[in-house]
Amino acid sequence: MQLFAYNQIGRPDELLIWVGILGVATPPAVAFEIHGQAIAPSAQPAVFEPLGDEVRDSYDRPLNHRAIFAFAWPATSERFTVRVSAGDQCVTLTSKRLPGVLPAKNADSFNLLLSSCYYQPNDKSQALTDIIKAIKPAPDFTLLAGDQVYLDLPSLQNLPEDKTRLAQTLGKKYQLNWFSNPLKQPGLADVLSHGPVLCVPDDHEYWNNFPYKQVQLTNTHWEKDRNNWRELATRLYERYQMSPAQSAGFFRQDIEPLSMLFLDGRTYRDDDGTHMFNAQTRTAIADWKNDLLARKKNQQAAVGLLSSGQALLIEKPGQWDRRVADMEMINYKDFALLKTALTELFAAEIPVLFITGDVHWGRIVEGKNQRGNILFYEVIASPSRLIDTIGSDQINSVKDKLRDLFGDPKAFPKHPAAPKDLKEIALANLTLDIKHRQQGDHVALLRFHAIPGGLEFSVDYVCTDPNEKKRREHSSSHGPYKLVSL
């Protein structure tokens, strides 16, 4: 039996503990302790359900399960330890309740860890989790902003057409990442073990450029195969990553003056470029905007934080690229909802911070209105571990060897670089300026404080390359940046 647990994000009044158990037909009873004191769930006992990977015993009973247990938060504002026991196994995780208000400048910052694009096969020589565990200050909230798994890689894998075998193959990739500690290998277990954790999906939770068929993925060529893959990938995402608090397609929480909205812009996409959000998410965008406008009208500081699985400031892919590479948010008619909401907020001089991953480079962009007031920042962190790309990797390696002959090798020859300018990008008549560009494997820690009329934040880019010298040279801090509405 293998046991793993982590603290999923929940509603403000609930502590949610996800518990997964591998290798038994009937999961044993689970016990919980906080600081050595036994605690009991505050609601009806959670019921274990199969993880959805179709791994069964000789009696056709599912062997891998998960359940989500809800508790009242302990009466402390400090980080605390939770011990989870089942059978002869136990795991330990930590958590800290999100505050209702950002801390003032004379207090410790509120710290958000932003990470995306984790390819486990390339996390061997120096585990990502060892680097993240050393980050100071410790994260209070972890956002995994998409591509926590790569179900479609390696590109030339021969995925089975049989639905049961496909479920087992895809499910194994989740197991490698979520149960990495009991399996004694690199993975996401330690990243997940310091909550609360919010996971937002992107295309590789399904397949590259989901829901469009891809030439290199034979299991997407026929509608029946796509439907099977979609069904299985959705089930695995829901049972491993999705908190009940985000089951409507979004997650909303306010930490005054910050109003945070996290969007699932992938699961509900159609294949004609109309909708990337479901109806509930479209309503949530309008509610988020209106709540911020109401705060400003009532002379309350108001700053928005918006996040989805793709970048906001990106060139619009053409007909060929959006089918072969990836449809960006700007390709969907739904993008008008975001654009309109942001335009209205900026017109009312309500600032917004957008955070995401996806693009395999990092960047900080600042946006000012015509009066010179700063109303927008975009912060991107991607990847935490870069994927392999057949063809371009080999070409880039050869080019770098040639550069090395002339004493000018690149630090990250396989990583793309962030664009040098934003000439083709427009957002609500803002003047956009790139403040920082990040290359190589990395994560970002955003540190927040409340200030009169709004907030300020700093961004620590933490290089997660296995090479210690590169980590020292390519980790940096930026800011503080201010967003003020009053």
Side-chain angles (χ1 to χ4, degrees):
M1 186 184 88
Q2 304 289 349
L3 172 69
F4 178 65
Y6 77 106
N7 169 210
Q8 287 187 330
I9 194 72
R11 297 190 303 267
D13 61 345
E14 64 182 1
L15 167 65
L16 295 185
I17 306 296
W18 183 99
V19 178
I21 294 178
L22 303 182
V24 293
T26 303
V30 182
F32 302 86
E33 295 178 0
I34 292 182
H35 295 317
Q37 299 294 316
I39 58 169
S42 58
Q44 292 276 342
V47 177
F48 277 96
E49 64 178 333
L51 274 168
D53 54 17
E54 297 299 333
V55 176
R56 296 175 178 270
D57 64 11
S58 58
Y59 298 98
D60 199 34
R61 298 177 299 181
L63 290 176
N64 301 330
H65 303 80
R66 72 102 201 225
I68 299 174
F69 296 82
F71 301 86
W73 284 97
T76 177
S77 60
E78 301 301 317
R79 181 163 292 276
F80 56 88
T81 299
V82 181
R83 178 183 170 91
V84 182
S85 303
D88 62 351
Q89 307 272 318
C90 69
V91 297
T92 300
L93 59 96
T94 73
S95 186
K96 184 178 181 181
R97 186 173 187 173
L98 299 186
V101 179
L102 288 179
K105 284 280 288 182
N106 59 353
D108 292 338
S109 57
F110 170 71
N111 309 307
L112 185 155
L113 178 67
L114 174 63
S115 179
S116 72
C117 304
Y118 174 73
Y119 188 49
Q120 191 272 345
N122 286 344
D123 191 20
K124 299 301 184 185
S125 59
Q126 172 66 51
L128 171 73
T129 55
D130 292 340
I131 300 168
I132 289 181
K133 282 191 293 185
I135 291 176
K136 301 296 181 185
D140 300 312
F141 175 41
T142 296
L143 171 62
L144 300 184
D147 301 338
Q148 282 70 255
V149 291
Y150 281 85
L151 297 187
D152 56 339
L153 293 182
S155 297
L156 300 181
Q157 66 182 323
N158 185 22
L159 287 174
E161 294 182 2
D162 176 78
K163 191 174 181 180
T164 297
R165 290 179 55 222
L166 179 61
Q168 293 168 353
T169 301
L170 300 181
K172 186 66 174 177
K173 299 186 180 189
Y174 266 99
Q175 289 178 30
L176 292 175
N177 286 7
W178 257 245
F179 289 84
S180 54
N181 279 353
L183 295 174
K184 300 186 186 311
Q185 63 178 10
L188 291 175
D190 283 331
V191 178
L192 294 163
S193 292
H194 301 284
V197 177
L198 172 63
C199 299
V200 175
D202 198 26
D203 54 342
H204 294 285
E205 265 73 24
Y206 299 89
W207 64 78
N208 187 67
N209 203 18
F210 172 86
Y212 294 91
K213 60 185 177 182
Q214 297 286 278
V215 172
Q216 76 276 18
L217 301 173
T218 57
N219 288 66
T220 70
H221 293 179
W222 303 99
E223 184 177 10
K224 178 183 177 181
D225 292 329
R226 288 197 301 277
N227 288 340
N228 284 342
W229 194 339
R230 178 200 299 262
E231 177 186 336
L232 296 173
T234 300
R235 189 166 70 199
L236 288 165
Y237 161 68
E238 290 174 348
R239 296 189 185 173
Y240 273 93
Q241 298 197 51
M242 189 185 76
S243 162
Q246 61 185 126
S247 61
F250 66 92
F251 176 75
R252 168 81 184 272
Q253 184 156 342
D254 293 351
I255 305 177
E256 294 184 9
L258 195 59
S259 182
M260 304 190 297
L261 179 62
F262 301 88
L263 307 173
D264 180 349
R266 184 62 65 169
T267 300
Y268 306 99
R269 288 193 177 195
D270 59 36
D271 60 1
D272 64 6
T274 301
H275 292 308
M276 56 182 169
F277 304 127
N278 64 10
Q280 292 167 292
T281 303
R282 294 194 289 272
T283 298
I285 294 169
D287 291 343
W288 170 78
K289 174 202 70 177
N290 291 333
D291 289 347
L292 284 165
L293 290 170
R295 286 186 61 86
K296 177 70 178 286
K297 185 177 181 180
N298 292 330
Q299 294 299 304
Q300 296 173 293
V303 180
L305 185 150
L306 191 62
S307 182
S308 186
Q310 289 184 299
L312 190 69
L313 303 179
I314 204 82
E315 289 189 29
K316 187 175 183 178
Q319 185 68 33
W320 173 258
D321 285 340
R322 70 190 189 191
R323 292 288 179 171
V324 175
D326 203 0
M327 287 275 279
E328 297 290 346
M329 291 196 296
I330 196 172
N331 289 119
Y332 276 82
K333 293 181 180 178
D334 270 358
F335 186 74
L337 297 172
L338 294 180
K339 186 177 180 180
T340 299
L342 291 171
T343 299
E344 290 186 38
L345 291 173
F346 298 152
E349 297 210 336
I350 296 173
V352 174
L353 168 64
F354 188 90
I355 60 176
T356 190
D358 179 52
V359 286
H360 294 177
W361 39 259
R363 185 176 68 184
I364 302 173
V365 174
E366 180 183 85
K368 294 181 180 180
N369 66 5
Q370 299 305 305
R371 297 171 55 190
N373 296 329
I374 299 172
L375 292 177
F376 178 77
Y377 282 102
E378 181 183 56
V379 176
I380 299 175
S382 167
S384 60
R385 277 289 180 267
L386 185 67
I387 63 172
D388 295 323
T389 304
I390 296 175
S392 67
D393 282 354
Q394 287 72 28
I395 293 171
N396 287 329
S397 293
V398 171
K399 288 181 178 179
D400 199 56
K401 288 180 180 178
L402 293 174
R403 284 191 295 266
D404 194 29
L405 292 175
F406 296 95
D408 188 31
K410 284 188 175 181
F412 307 104
K414 295 181 181 180
H415 288 73
K420 293 182 178 180
D421 59 61
L422 297 165
K423 293 179 181 178
E424 304 300 322
I425 309 299
L427 179 65
N429 293 320
L430 297 182
T431 299
L432 302 173
D433 180 33
I434 297 174
K435 311 303 289 188
H436 175 68
R437 298 162 68 232
Q438 184 79 18
Q439 195 176 19
D441 289 352
H442 65 273
V443 298
L445 185 74
L446 285 73
R447 298 179 281 114
F448 294 88
H449 283 106
I451 59 174
L455 62 83
E456 72 173 28
F457 70 98
S458 297
V459 183
D460 299 335
Y461 275 102
V462 180
C463 177
T464 58
D465 192 272
N467 184 288
E468 183 179 355
K469 183 174 182 290
K470 288 183 180 180
R471 293 201 301 274
R472 290 196 306 269
E473 292 177 351
H474 297 279
S475 296
S476 57
S477 295
H478 306 272
Y481 304 109
K482 295 183 180 181
L483 292 172
V484 177
S485 63
L486 296 178

